[in-house]
Amino acid sequence: MSDLPSPAAPPAMAAKKSADQWFADYGGSHCHHANEVIHWFCVPVIFASILGFVWTIPIPAAWPEAIPWFSWVLVAMAVVMPFYVRLSPALGAGMFFFMSLCYTGIVLLEMWAPWPVGKICAITFVLAWGGQFVGHLIEGRKPSFFQDLVFLLIGPAWLLSKVYRQLGQKY
């Protein structure tokens, strides 16, 4: 038997685990209070930064006239939403709300920020990942995504599940 980790399952197959199973696995490497606090800041920033990077993908010149509302961020949202809805419709709704806030923030950055969206996202992405790795050094455990790339999608939902529990909302 190989000592190499198995490749990450595609999100469609990975979603066969329940939300609680994913959260228990993810939570196992996020037990130290300092690491968890760091994650509350860094995970949403990383997620928003990635959507910001997607925003910067050029749109073919003819498209804005034909479909002026088009954005690659909307495509990315449509791609990940089935995963979240499969975990839980309530989590899917919350993640849609969170992604909509990120989208709105990106649009506002595009309109008002003194720097390009890509540059802002690059800076925040690097700083947030730096924070994540500091948190995992404190924790003494590797980030979960080293085990399975799907955990990159689980992190924001794990935080949202904690918000739901605080509100007494089932997910």
Side-chain angles (χ1 to χ4, degrees):
M1 194 148 142
S2 172
D3 289 334
L4 296 174
S6 62
M13 292 177 59
K16 300 220 185 281
K17 284 182 172 180
S18 73
D20 287 328
Q21 289 169 319
W22 278 113
F23 298 155
D25 291 348
Y26 187 83
S29 61
H30 301 85
C31 299
H32 194 284
H33 180 69
N35 187 26
E36 192 170 333
V37 169
I38 289 168
H39 275 63
W40 276 101
F41 291 99
C42 294
V43 167
V45 169
I46 290 167
F47 196 94
S49 295
I50 292 170
L51 290 179
F53 291 141
V54 172
W55 174 270
T56 66
I57 298 171
I59 297 171
W63 290 16
E65 190 173 314
I67 42 177
W69 53 265
F70 181 83
S71 166
W72 290 114
V73 173
L74 298 176
V75 174
M77 289 169 63
V79 167
V80 299
M81 277 306 301
F83 174 77
Y84 289 124
V85 171
R86 163 57 184 83
L87 282 179
S88 150
L91 285 171
M95 287 304 300
F96 180 77
F97 178 73
F98 172 65
M99 288 187 281
S100 297
L101 289 176
C102 292
Y103 181 82
T104 302
I106 293 164
V107 170
L108 293 173
L109 282 175
E110 181 73 28
M111 290 171 45
W112 301 105
W115 296 336
V117 169
K119 184 175 186 175
I120 294 167
C121 290
I123 292 166
T124 58
F125 183 83
V126 169
L127 291 173
W129 270 112
Q132 291 280 81
F133 284 111
V134 166
H136 282 284
L137 281 173
I138 294 168
E139 180 84 39
R141 295 186 179 173
K142 293 180 186 174
S144 300
F145 77 88
F146 286 151
Q147 175 187 341
D148 189 333
L149 290 175
V150 176
F151 283 117
L152 292 171
L153 293 175
I154 292 298
W158 178 72
L159 293 173
L160 182 60
S161 75
K162 290 177 171 289
V163 171
Y164 281 10
R165 274 187 245 124
Q166 284 291 319
L167 297 173
Q169 172 68 42
K170 293 182 181 179
Y171 61 82

